[in-house]
Amino acid sequence: MDERVTLRSHLDRAGAKTPNRLAIAAVIEGIAAASIDLADLIADGPLAGITGRLSGVNSDGDAQKDIDLVADRMMRRALLVTPVAAILSEEAELPEILDVAAPLCVAIDPLDGSANLENNISVGTIFSIRPRGNDVVSTFFEPGTAQCAAGFVVYGPQTTLVLAHNGRVDIFILDRRAREFLLVAQGVRIAPNTPEFAINASNRRHWHGPVRAYIDECLAGIGGNGGADFNMRWIGSLVAESLRILVRGGVFLYPADARPGYREGRLRLLYEAHPMALVMEWAGGSATTGRRRILELSARTPHQRVPLIMGSMRGVRDVAAIHEGIEPMFDNSDAPLFARRGLFR
Ligand code: F6P
Ligand code: MN
């Protein structure tokens, strides 16, 4: 991109008629500024005293590392001076009210995938912004369609900000010397039909029928009903997988499975699935549980989990088509489920 467009100038250009335009811009800039400091800390890791050691367990039972808590503090501090009524963070049990009169609410995963840090694999910050309803806390229990903006930062070889804002998806990269994000791609569109899937295949024996049927169709390759040789990736880092899908397409699956604690999937609706679904849809892709569009779901509890299948239009549609024909049950016997319905027959 020839012209040097900073995040700030990009946000300034947003349509004057967009409701809460200035407030949304302030929140995005606050998160972006905190993410620049967090990128420094992550890059230095042990040199900055980040040990990667466990500090405890969060309210939802996930292991918390020292860096998770630092990231949470950094994001909160940044949001405190923005027009935010309440924050729901992965690291806290309940939403925290900041200013009941402020126009926006933010759900945030301050540092997703921190288990990857010791291996120097990309991690990220995921955020979801929605207009405050009459009752502040109830705002978080509206469907994902209520979001007015969302996005994520990837702390990898580059620090990348993916922003769903004003109905489209734009990508920025941190200029480390100038300490500002610069626009590198606008109006990103996800390739509609990339034969690539991402799933933690070590859980195959726990999957339910539709997911096993879909992956088996992919593995059958060009000779199978899918009619293509599929490639596979699994990074184990949601932000990195999501950026890959934006760049080259494919389907990501973290389904529900039969393991205790995974009956509703692994990823959290409010600060993982909802924001990623907004990014996917605004980039021309799609996101579903297999049976329902993610953006139409409302959370019942702050840290509710949900199956997440997202990415290229064709792949997500195929996964949903298989789900339609198979009952939602945890049946690990191949024959009856596969016999009842194939994907491309
Ligand atoms: O927050 C959850 C997360 O770290 C995601 O970034 C990632 O997609 C997933 O967990 C990996 O899960 P698993 O270790 O089960 O493959
Ligand atoms: Mn997370």
Side-chain angles (χ1 to χ4, degrees), residues 201-231:
S202 68
N203 298 320
R204 183 182 191 279
R205 68 190 179 286
H206 307 295
W207 295 341
H208 54 100
V211 172
R212 298 175 77 199
Y214 176 73
I215 298 299
D216 283 356
E217 299 281 13
C218 295
L219 294 176
I222 190 95
N225 294 315
D229 288 330
F230 278 74
N231 192 21

mmCIF file of all heavy atoms in Angstrom, residues 201-231:
data_model
loop_
_atom_site.group_PDB
_atom_site.id
_atom_site.type_symbol
_atom_site.label_atom_id
_atom_site.label_comp_id
_atom_site.label_asym_id
_atom_site.label_seq_id
_atom_site.Cartn_x
_atom_site.Cartn_y
_atom_site.Cartn_z
ATOM 1 N N ALA A 201 -6.740 -32.985 15.749
ATOM 2 C CA ALA A 201 -7.158 -34.335 15.349
ATOM 3 C C ALA A 201 -6.892 -35.372 16.435
ATOM 4 O O ALA A 201 -7.394 -36.491 16.348
ATOM 5 C CB ALA A 201 -6.455 -34.729 14.047
ATOM 6 N N SER A 202 -6.138 -35.006 17.468
ATOM 7 C CA SER A 202 -5.899 -35.978 18.542
ATOM 8 C C SER A 202 -7.192 -36.279 19.296
ATOM 9 O O SER A 202 -7.266 -37.243 20.041
ATOM 10 C CB SER A 202 -4.838 -35.451 19.512
ATOM 11 O OG SER A 202 -5.345 -34.335 20.218
ATOM 12 N N ASN A 203 -8.205 -35.449 19.098
ATOM 13 C CA ASN A 203 -9.488 -35.673 19.789
ATOM 14 C C ASN A 203 -10.467 -36.485 18.948
ATOM 15 O O ASN A 203 -11.639 -36.605 19.308
ATOM 16 C CB ASN A 203 -10.117 -34.324 20.149
ATOM 17 C CG ASN A 203 -9.237 -33.543 21.103
ATOM 18 O OD1 ASN A 203 -8.650 -34.121 22.014
ATOM 19 N ND2 ASN A 203 -9.115 -32.245 20.888
ATOM 20 N N ARG A 204 -10.019 -37.046 17.839
ATOM 21 C CA ARG A 204 -10.949 -37.701 16.907
ATOM 22 C C ARG A 204 -11.889 -38.687 17.598
ATOM 23 O O ARG A 204 -13.077 -38.732 17.309
ATOM 24 C CB ARG A 204 -10.188 -38.412 15.786
ATOM 25 C CG ARG A 204 -11.120 -39.033 14.761
ATOM 26 C CD ARG A 204 -10.366 -39.792 13.676
ATOM 27 N NE ARG A 204 -11.265 -40.154 12.592
ATOM 28 C CZ ARG A 204 -12.078 -41.203 12.620
ATOM 29 N NH1 ARG A 204 -12.108 -41.997 13.684
ATOM 30 N NH2 ARG A 204 -12.884 -41.450 11.606
ATOM 31 N N ARG A 205 -11.335 -39.470 18.503
ATOM 32 C CA ARG A 205 -12.186 -40.501 19.130
ATOM 33 C C ARG A 205 -13.304 -39.886 19.969
ATOM 34 O O ARG A 205 -14.254 -40.558 20.334
ATOM 35 C CB ARG A 205 -11.339 -41.461 19.962
ATOM 36 C CG ARG A 205 -10.716 -40.845 21.201
ATOM 37 C CD ARG A 205 -9.690 -41.792 21.847
ATOM 38 N NE ARG A 205 -9.060 -41.228 23.016
ATOM 39 C CZ ARG A 205 -8.142 -40.271 22.994
ATOM 40 N NH1 ARG A 205 -7.765 -39.735 21.861
ATOM 41 N NH2 ARG A 205 -7.595 -39.832 24.121
ATOM 42 N N HIS A 206 -13.174 -38.639 20.322
ATOM 43 C CA HIS A 206 -14.212 -37.979 21.132
ATOM 44 C C HIS A 206 -15.219 -37.198 20.287
ATOM 45 O O HIS A 206 -16.209 -36.702 20.814
ATOM 46 C CB HIS A 206 -13.570 -36.988 22.119
ATOM 47 C CG HIS A 206 -12.497 -37.580 22.978
ATOM 48 N ND1 HIS A 206 -12.755 -38.556 23.915
ATOM 49 C CD2 HIS A 206 -11.165 -37.348 23.033
ATOM 50 C CE1 HIS A 206 -11.627 -38.890 24.526
ATOM 51 N NE2 HIS A 206 -10.646 -38.176 24.002
ATOM 52 N N TRP A 207 -14.929 -37.013 19.007
ATOM 53 C CA TRP A 207 -15.824 -36.190 18.177
ATOM 54 C C TRP A 207 -17.167 -36.871 17.983
ATOM 55 O O TRP A 207 -17.271 -38.104 18.045
ATOM 56 C CB TRP A 207 -15.244 -35.979 16.775
ATOM 57 C CG TRP A 207 -13.975 -35.200 16.734
ATOM 58 C CD1 TRP A 207 -13.469 -34.367 17.695
ATOM 59 C CD2 TRP A 207 -13.020 -35.211 15.650
ATOM 60 N NE1 TRP A 207 -12.269 -33.851 17.269
ATOM 61 C CE2 TRP A 207 -11.975 -34.340 16.033
ATOM 62 C CE3 TRP A 207 -12.963 -35.848 14.409
ATOM 63 C CZ2 TRP A 207 -10.875 -34.114 15.221
ATOM 64 C CZ3 TRP A 207 -11.871 -35.612 13.603
ATOM 65 C CH2 TRP A 207 -10.838 -34.754 14.000
ATOM 66 N N HIS A 208 -18.165 -36.081 17.656
ATOM 67 C CA HIS A 208 -19.448 -36.667 17.290
ATOM 68 C C HIS A 208 -19.516 -36.836 15.770
ATOM 69 O O HIS A 208 -18.654 -36.357 15.026
ATOM 70 C CB HIS A 208 -20.615 -35.886 17.876
ATOM 71 C CG HIS A 208 -20.629 -34.437 17.558
ATOM 72 N ND1 HIS A 208 -21.414 -33.922 16.584
ATOM 73 C CD2 HIS A 208 -19.933 -33.408 18.093
ATOM 74 C CE1 HIS A 208 -21.210 -32.615 16.527
ATOM 75 N NE2 HIS A 208 -20.325 -32.283 17.420
ATOM 76 N N GLY A 209 -20.546 -37.549 15.335
ATOM 77 C CA GLY A 209 -20.636 -38.026 13.957
ATOM 78 C C GLY A 209 -20.392 -36.995 12.869
ATOM 79 O O GLY A 209 -19.579 -37.239 11.960
ATOM 80 N N PRO A 210 -21.062 -35.852 12.876
ATOM 81 C CA PRO A 210 -20.912 -34.904 11.770
ATOM 82 C C PRO A 210 -19.468 -34.427 11.580
ATOM 83 O O PRO A 210 -19.006 -34.278 10.453
ATOM 84 C CB PRO A 210 -21.822 -33.737 12.179
ATOM 85 C CG PRO A 210 -22.820 -34.330 13.111
ATOM 86 C CD PRO A 210 -22.131 -35.441 13.828
ATOM 87 N N VAL A 211 -18.772 -34.195 12.683
ATOM 88 C CA VAL A 211 -17.392 -33.704 12.556
ATOM 89 C C VAL A 211 -16.501 -34.808 11.996
ATOM 90 O O VAL A 211 -15.685 -34.583 11.094
ATOM 91 C CB VAL A 211 -16.881 -33.192 13.926
ATOM 92 C CG1 VAL A 211 -15.397 -32.860 13.859
ATOM 93 C CG2 VAL A 211 -17.683 -31.969 14.337
ATOM 94 N N ARG A 212 -16.689 -36.013 12.488
ATOM 95 C CA ARG A 212 -15.891 -37.133 11.955
ATOM 96 C C ARG A 212 -16.194 -37.336 10.484
ATOM 97 O O ARG A 212 -15.300 -37.590 9.674
ATOM 98 C CB ARG A 212 -16.197 -38.410 12.746
ATOM 99 C CG ARG A 212 -15.817 -38.258 14.198
ATOM 100 C CD ARG A 212 -16.235 -39.461 15.003
ATOM 101 N NE ARG A 212 -15.335 -40.571 14.794
ATOM 102 C CZ ARG A 212 -15.646 -41.824 15.062
ATOM 103 N NH1 ARG A 212 -16.843 -42.125 15.518
ATOM 104 N NH2 ARG A 212 -14.775 -42.765 14.881
ATOM 105 N N ALA A 213 -17.459 -37.219 10.120
ATOM 106 C CA ALA A 213 -17.835 -37.422 8.710
ATOM 107 C C ALA A 213 -17.179 -36.358 7.829
ATOM 108 O O ALA A 213 -16.632 -36.670 6.766
ATOM 109 C CB ALA A 213 -19.362 -37.362 8.563
ATOM 110 N N TYR A 214 -17.197 -35.115 8.288
ATOM 111 C CA TYR A 214 -16.612 -34.041 7.465
ATOM 112 C C TYR A 214 -15.101 -34.248 7.303
ATOM 113 O O TYR A 214 -14.572 -34.183 6.189
ATOM 114 C CB TYR A 214 -16.892 -32.665 8.085
ATOM 115 C CG TYR A 214 -16.212 -31.569 7.294
ATOM 116 C CD1 TYR A 214 -16.687 -31.189 6.039
ATOM 117 C CD2 TYR A 214 -15.043 -30.959 7.758
ATOM 118 C CE1 TYR A 214 -16.040 -30.221 5.276
ATOM 119 C CE2 TYR A 214 -14.389 -29.991 7.006
ATOM 120 C CZ TYR A 214 -14.895 -29.637 5.766
ATOM 121 O OH TYR A 214 -14.237 -28.693 5.010
ATOM 122 N N ILE A 215 -14.420 -34.513 8.407
ATOM 123 C CA ILE A 215 -12.954 -34.658 8.319
ATOM 124 C C ILE A 215 -12.593 -35.884 7.482
ATOM 125 O O ILE A 215 -11.647 -35.860 6.687
ATOM 126 C CB ILE A 215 -12.319 -34.720 9.736
ATOM 127 C CG1 ILE A 215 -12.606 -33.415 10.489
ATOM 128 C CG2 ILE A 215 -10.814 -34.984 9.641
ATOM 129 C CD1 ILE A 215 -12.046 -32.136 9.864
ATOM 130 N N ASP A 216 -13.362 -36.946 7.614
ATOM 131 C CA ASP A 216 -13.083 -38.125 6.779
ATOM 132 C C ASP A 216 -13.255 -37.807 5.294
ATOM 133 O O ASP A 216 -12.488 -38.288 4.457
ATOM 134 C CB ASP A 216 -13.973 -39.302 7.194
ATOM 135 C CG ASP A 216 -13.455 -39.952 8.485
ATOM 136 O OD1 ASP A 216 -12.389 -39.532 8.978
ATOM 137 O OD2 ASP A 216 -14.120 -40.881 8.995
ATOM 138 N N GLU A 217 -14.235 -36.986 4.973
ATOM 139 C CA GLU A 217 -14.402 -36.578 3.568
ATOM 140 C C GLU A 217 -13.184 -35.783 3.105
ATOM 141 O O GLU A 217 -12.707 -35.952 1.984
ATOM 142 C CB GLU A 217 -15.666 -35.715 3.381
ATOM 143 C CG GLU A 217 -16.986 -36.373 3.742
ATOM 144 C CD GLU A 217 -17.517 -37.316 2.677
ATOM 145 O OE1 GLU A 217 -16.755 -37.669 1.758
ATOM 146 O OE2 GLU A 217 -18.708 -37.703 2.773
ATOM 147 N N CYS A 218 -12.682 -34.911 3.979
ATOM 148 C CA CYS A 218 -11.483 -34.130 3.610
ATOM 149 C C CYS A 218 -10.289 -35.062 3.400
ATOM 150 O O CYS A 218 -9.532 -34.910 2.434
ATOM 151 C CB CYS A 218 -11.122 -33.130 4.706
ATOM 152 S SG CYS A 218 -12.346 -31.850 4.970
ATOM 153 N N LEU A 219 -10.132 -36.024 4.302
ATOM 154 C CA LEU A 219 -8.965 -36.908 4.229
ATOM 155 C C LEU A 219 -9.021 -37.827 3.015
ATOM 156 O O LEU A 219 -7.986 -38.295 2.542
ATOM 157 C CB LEU A 219 -8.854 -37.753 5.517
ATOM 158 C CG LEU A 219 -8.560 -36.962 6.795
ATOM 159 C CD1 LEU A 219 -8.565 -37.895 8.009
ATOM 160 C CD2 LEU A 219 -7.221 -36.239 6.703
ATOM 161 N N ALA A 220 -10.214 -38.065 2.505
ATOM 162 C CA ALA A 220 -10.346 -38.953 1.340
ATOM 163 C C ALA A 220 -9.712 -38.315 0.098
ATOM 164 O O ALA A 220 -9.358 -39.002 -0.860
ATOM 165 C CB ALA A 220 -11.824 -39.263 1.084
ATOM 166 N N GLY A 221 -9.548 -36.996 0.121
ATOM 167 C CA GLY A 221 -8.816 -36.329 -0.960
ATOM 168 C C GLY A 221 -9.561 -36.322 -2.277
ATOM 169 O O GLY A 221 -10.782 -36.481 -2.342
ATOM 170 N N ILE A 222 -8.801 -36.169 -3.344
ATOM 171 C CA ILE A 222 -9.379 -35.958 -4.672
ATOM 172 C C ILE A 222 -10.293 -37.106 -5.098
ATOM 173 O O ILE A 222 -11.283 -36.899 -5.804
ATOM 174 C CB ILE A 222 -8.246 -35.718 -5.714
ATOM 175 C CG1 ILE A 222 -8.786 -35.244 -7.059
ATOM 176 C CG2 ILE A 222 -7.380 -36.954 -5.928
ATOM 177 C CD1 ILE A 222 -8.771 -33.763 -7.188
ATOM 178 N N GLY A 223 -9.978 -38.306 -4.627
ATOM 179 C CA GLY A 223 -10.802 -39.463 -5.008
ATOM 180 C C GLY A 223 -12.106 -39.551 -4.225
ATOM 181 O O GLY A 223 -13.010 -40.311 -4.568
ATOM 182 N N GLY A 224 -12.230 -38.764 -3.144
ATOM 183 C CA GLY A 224 -13.432 -38.854 -2.302
ATOM 184 C C GLY A 224 -14.522 -37.910 -2.775
ATOM 185 O O GLY A 224 -14.402 -37.269 -3.825
ATOM 186 N N ASN A 225 -15.570 -37.825 -1.980
ATOM 187 C CA ASN A 225 -16.709 -36.991 -2.385
ATOM 188 C C ASN A 225 -16.405 -35.493 -2.354
ATOM 189 O O ASN A 225 -17.092 -34.707 -2.993
ATOM 190 C CB ASN A 225 -17.903 -37.285 -1.491
ATOM 191 C CG ASN A 225 -18.413 -38.691 -1.705
ATOM 192 O OD1 ASN A 225 -18.545 -39.144 -2.842
ATOM 193 N ND2 ASN A 225 -18.652 -39.418 -0.614
ATOM 194 N N GLY A 226 -15.383 -35.104 -1.590
ATOM 195 C CA GLY A 226 -15.015 -33.685 -1.532
ATOM 196 C C GLY A 226 -14.358 -33.209 -2.812
ATOM 197 O O GLY A 226 -14.332 -32.009 -3.087
ATOM 198 N N GLY A 227 -13.777 -34.129 -3.541
ATOM 199 C CA GLY A 227 -13.202 -33.806 -4.852
ATOM 200 C C GLY A 227 -11.963 -32.927 -4.806
ATOM 201 O O GLY A 227 -11.618 -32.283 -5.801
ATOM 202 N N ALA A 228 -11.264 -32.899 -3.679
ATOM 203 C CA ALA A 228 -10.038 -32.094 -3.605
ATOM 204 C C ALA A 228 -9.085 -32.718 -2.595
ATOM 205 O O ALA A 228 -9.520 -33.379 -1.654
ATOM 206 C CB ALA A 228 -10.374 -30.666 -3.177
ATOM 207 N N ASP A 229 -7.807 -32.505 -2.808
ATOM 208 C CA ASP A 229 -6.810 -32.921 -1.821
ATOM 209 C C ASP A 229 -6.691 -31.820 -0.784
ATOM 210 O O ASP A 229 -6.231 -30.723 -1.086
ATOM 211 C CB ASP A 229 -5.450 -33.153 -2.494
ATOM 212 C CG ASP A 229 -5.455 -34.426 -3.330
ATOM 213 O OD1 ASP A 229 -6.194 -35.373 -2.965
ATOM 214 O OD2 ASP A 229 -4.744 -34.466 -4.345
ATOM 215 N N PHE A 230 -7.127 -32.118 0.419
ATOM 216 C CA PHE A 230 -7.117 -31.096 1.467
ATOM 217 C C PHE A 230 -5.756 -31.030 2.154
ATOM 218 O O PHE A 230 -5.101 -32.061 2.337
ATOM 219 C CB PHE A 230 -8.188 -31.406 2.524
ATOM 220 C CG PHE A 230 -9.565 -30.948 2.132
ATOM 221 C CD1 PHE A 230 -10.288 -31.628 1.160
ATOM 222 C CD2 PHE A 230 -10.136 -29.828 2.735
ATOM 223 C CE1 PHE A 230 -11.557 -31.208 0.802
ATOM 224 C CE2 PHE A 230 -11.408 -29.411 2.380
ATOM 225 C CZ PHE A 230 -12.117 -30.091 1.407
ATOM 226 N N ASN A 231 -5.370 -29.839 2.540
ATOM 227 C CA ASN A 231 -4.199 -29.635 3.380
ATOM 228 C C ASN A 231 -4.688 -29.479 4.822
ATOM 229 O O ASN A 231 -5.860 -29.165 5.046
ATOM 230 C CB ASN A 231 -3.471 -28.363 2.913
ATOM 231 C CG ASN A 231 -2.100 -28.232 3.530
ATOM 232 O OD1 ASN A 231 -1.509 -29.218 3.980
ATOM 233 N ND2 ASN A 231 -1.584 -27.019 3.562
#
